[in-house]
Structures are given as C-alpha cells and as structure tokens.
Amino acid sequence: MPNLTPLIDAVFLLLVFFMLTSHFVREEALNIDLPVAESGEATGEDDQLEVIINAQGRFLMNDHVVDPEALEATLRRALEQRENRVVRIRGDRGADLGSAVKVLDTARKAGAEAVDIVTETK
C-alpha cells in the first residue's frame, strides 16, 4: 500500500492557501474605481466598518446592497457591535458627491466616532 502522508499534506497546504487568498477575491469582484489623492495616509486597520458606493450610487455593506432609507439603522446596528466605531467610505470615482455626503451624515447620526474616505495614492 502506498504512503498517502505526502498527498494529505499537499491537500492541506492547498486548502490553507485557498482559505487565505479568498479574502482578496471579494474586493476585486466589486469593480470600484477609487479616486486618487496625494495627501492620503494609510490607516493599517482592517477591522473598520466599510460602506461602498458604486458608480450607480448604490450602497453596499458586507457585499449586500443596503437601501438608502435603511442605511442609518444598518450602520447603527453594526456600530453597536464594534469596539472600533470608525466607518470607511469606499466610493467609486464616478459616484455622485451627494451619495458620499449622505453616507458621511448618516454615519455620524448612527454614532460613528470617525469617518474615513478610502482613496488610491498617486
């Protein structure tokens, strides 16, 4: 009978590899074209709550479309469960400025301590 230990090790290594890289595939699927800023700085924190505004002006949280009328309640529930009460806005370059202002205002009403806008560096 052949020794299956190396085969089992290879399967577990592949499993770990796919589990670790599956996080990066999620962000590529949204197709957000971020605006460019020269004065931005990296936060380094990945556990912040993120609201995505796509080019059509739709709001997404955790890969789910959120109705604009339900955004405040959704943000309030999400912020209550977190110690870090910071909201990130990841908006498409073609998104309406009014949508970004609505998210800023709604996040403050929902209890966010800070609101960051995600950009690409030049």
Side-chain angles (χ1 to χ4, degrees):
M1 180 167 216
N3 188 2
L4 295 177
T5 304
L7 179 64
I8 293 172
D9 289 344
V11 169
F12 280 125
L13 284 174
L14 286 172
L15 179 68
V16 169
F17 173 76
F18 287 121
M19 288 174 53
L20 291 175
T21 58
S22 66
H23 171 73
F24 301 113
V25 172
R26 179 183 64 90
E27 290 189 21
E28 292 175 8
L30 294 176
N31 195 18
I32 298 293
D33 187 21
L34 292 174
V36 178
E38 293 181 14
S39 63
E41 50 186 73
T43 60
E45 297 180 28
D46 289 333
D47 64 337
Q48 294 175 348
L49 184 62
E50 190 168 84
V51 178
I52 298 170
I53 307 171
N54 66 10
Q56 292 78 31
R58 292 193 184 107
F59 304 128
L60 291 96
M61 284 180 57
N62 299 328
D63 297 330
H64 299 294
V65 176
V66 178
D67 189 41
E69 289 78 30
L71 183 62
E72 184 176 351
T74 305
L75 278 171
R76 188 179 311 275
R77 277 193 307 272
L79 288 170
E80 286 174 354
Q81 299 171 0
R82 296 176 169 269
E83 185 177 314
N84 182 0
R85 300 175 62 89
V86 176
V87 175
R88 278 187 187 166
I89 298 175
R90 182 181 296 266
D92 189 275
R93 184 178 302 177
D96 183 36
L97 178 61
S99 299
V101 171
K102 178 171 178 52
V103 174
L104 279 166
D105 190 40
T106 304
R108 290 292 188 172
K109 286 182 192 175
E113 295 172 355
V115 180
D116 295 336
I117 298 176
V118 179
T119 61
E120 288 182 350
T121 56
K122 205 169 191 181

